[in-house]
Amino acid sequence: MQGVVDGAENNFPSYESTRHFEAASFYSLTQHVMAPEVLVASGATWAKLSIGERQVLQAAANHSVPVMRANWDARVEIARRRIAAAGVNIVEDFDKSAFAKAMAPVWERFVTSPQMVSLVDQITQSQPPRSAGGSQSE
């Protein structure tokens, strides 16, 4: 044994498209990160646009959200099937209490106000995205 750990933090599409699964054959759905996909614009640039231009861009952005989500979910499923077909062990059910225990000192040190406690409560009580390998990092 070489004492090397092959691991990374990726979603299904990244894990598959980079061929990372060839070196790291276990994929754990830890749900330790749920990163939002956001579309942003510079406030300075936005302010330079006319109301009509803003309306067109906002409508296009609103229209793109369900299209992007559907495309992403389809890509996740394709990648997941390819990974499984390659023999990767996808670990979905495990005890997350060790993660929570390791985080306790971090919460104690940095969660120092009622507002932060409220935010942490909202985060820890949230549910994962609707697709198992969605936009979160695994």
Side-chain angles (χ1 to χ4, degrees):
M1 179 178 280
Q2 296 177 348
V4 176
V5 175
D6 290 319
E9 178 180 74
N10 282 318
N11 52 49
F12 278 117
S14 296
Y15 181 71
E16 184 264 335
S17 68
T18 61
R19 302 174 68 112
H20 189 199
F21 65 91
E22 293 175 0
S25 61
F26 284 84
Y27 188 96
S28 299
L29 291 166
T30 62
Q31 299 174 334
H32 65 284
V33 173
M34 289 186 234
E37 303 285 340
V38 297
L39 176 62
V40 297
S42 159
T45 300
W46 188 257
K48 294 176 186 176
L49 300 174
S50 70
I51 292 174
E53 290 169 326
R54 290 179 193 174
Q55 290 172 337
V56 168
L57 283 173
Q58 185 66 58
N62 292 345
H63 176 73
S64 74
V65 170
V67 173
M68 177 273 185
R69 287 184 180 157
N71 288 338
W72 179 256
D73 289 346
R75 179 66 182 97
V76 166
E77 287 309 312
I78 289 167
R80 185 178 180 139
R81 283 195 302 271
R82 287 179 180 163
I83 291 164
V88 169
N89 297 296
I90 300 172
V91 182
E92 296 187 62
D93 187 29
F94 55 90
D95 182 7
K96 295 179 187 175
S97 64
F99 292 104
K101 184 177 178 181
M103 282 301 300
V106 176
W107 297 129
E108 290 170 13
R109 181 172 177 197
F110 294 105
V111 180
T112 57
S113 71
Q115 295 84 4
M116 292 173 80
V117 169
S118 176
L119 179 60
V120 168
D121 287 345
Q122 290 175 43
I123 292 168
T124 58
Q125 294 171 20
S126 68
Q127 296 298 310
R130 65 187 182 287
S131 61
S135 17
Q136 80 225 22
S137 294
E138 302 304 336

